[in-house]
């Protein structure tokens, strides 16, 4: 598995094997992949998403999507750091773009809190409070099975979902502008 470039890190694979409760749109809208999207597909997607035929998707390792095709990925921005230390981003089908976690540990705790990449992008903005209710009716519901996974794999990363998202956005404030600069 270590030599397979498409294999997910074990904590990610374990958390993604569990079903996500969509709850008719009131839950988590996320469809995890059993492995990373291959490099060719990632480049094709990135070129289509940016409208830039010269864009290279090598900076992303895509591992899932929401129901409309928005993708969640590791953004390979930390030179020399392992995959589990790279930030997690969401690039939506309607142009949404956000860093949602600083690393895999933070991402595991988002999932444990009942927050997927889309929900982190849409509902845990600067004025979303603690992530339990965004004021628009989204209420995160913690997932006990994913809490156990996060406790086992990333106990030091435990924080409320809104803090995870806020820290990620504070560390990478220029992500949206960077993505915009690649678009045509």
């Amino acid at each position: 598995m270590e030599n397979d470039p498409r294999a997910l890190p074990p904590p990610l694979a374990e958390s993604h094997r569990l079903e996500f409760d969509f709850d008719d749109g009131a839950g988590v809208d996320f469809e995890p992949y059993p492995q990373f999207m291959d490099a060719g597909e990632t480049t094709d997607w990135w070129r289509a998403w940016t409208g830039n035929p010269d864009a290279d998707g090598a900076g992303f390792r895509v591992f899932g999507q929401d129901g409309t095709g928005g993708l969640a990925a590791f953004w390979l921005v930390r030179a020399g750091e392992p995959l589990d230390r790279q930030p997690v981003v969401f690039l939506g089908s309607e142009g949404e773009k956000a860093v949602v976690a600083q690393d895999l540990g933070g991402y595991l705790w988002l999932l444990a809190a009942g927050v997927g990449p889309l929900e982190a992008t849409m509902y845990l903005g600067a004025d979303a409070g603690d992530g339990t209710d965004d004021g628009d009716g989204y209420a995160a519901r913690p997932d006990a099975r994913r809490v156990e996974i996060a406790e086992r794999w990333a106990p030091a990363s435990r924080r409320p979902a809104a803090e995870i998202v806020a820290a990620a956005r504070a560390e990478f404030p220029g992500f949206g502008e960077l993505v915009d600069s690649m678009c045509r």
Side-chain angles (χ1 to χ4, degrees):
M1 182 177 262
E2 286 182 29
N3 296 329
D4 181 356
R6 293 189 63 198
L8 300 175
L12 185 63
E14 183 179 350
S15 187
H16 282 182
R17 277 193 292 271
L18 301 173
E19 285 190 42
F20 286 89
D21 183 9
F22 181 64
D23 191 24
D24 294 321
V28 176
D29 182 3
F30 189 62
E31 301 167 14
Y33 299 160
Q35 59 190 6
F36 287 114
M37 181 185 283
D38 76 38
E41 286 178 285
T42 301
T43 294
D44 290 346
W45 154 75
W46 187 234
R47 288 177 177 167
W49 200 91
T50 61
N52 182 347
D54 300 320
D56 179 357
F60 298 98
R61 300 290 308 277
V62 179
F63 58 77
Q65 67 180 46
D66 73 348
T68 66
L71 299 180
F74 285 104
W75 176 34
L76 308 179
V77 67
R78 291 186 175 126
E81 290 288 332
L83 189 62
D84 65 343
R85 294 285 308 132
Q86 302 294 338
V88 175
V89 298
F90 179 77
L91 295 144
S93 64
E94 299 300 318
E96 306 91 346
K97 50 198 167 292
V99 181
V100 299
Q102 291 174 294
D103 56 22
L104 177 57
Y107 176 71
L108 292 174
W109 282 105
L110 275 181
L111 297 182
V115 177
L118 170 67
E119 293 77 27
T121 300
M122 301 300 294
Y123 304 118
L124 295 184
D127 59 349
D130 66 1
T132 58
D133 188 333
D134 74 338
D136 292 330
Y138 177 77
R141 294 179 299 240
D143 183 324
R145 299 165 303 161
R146 286 189 172 91
V147 168
E148 188 276 327
I149 292 168
E151 285 175 339
R152 191 163 16 91
W153 289 100
S157 297
R158 185 178 204 149
R159 291 184 285 176
E163 287 181 25
I164 292 167
V165 173
R169 292 181 184 171
E171 183 176 354
F172 301 101
F175 178 69
E177 292 79 23
L178 177 67
V179 170
D180 288 345
S181 74
M182 296 178 201
C183 296
R184 290 208 172 154

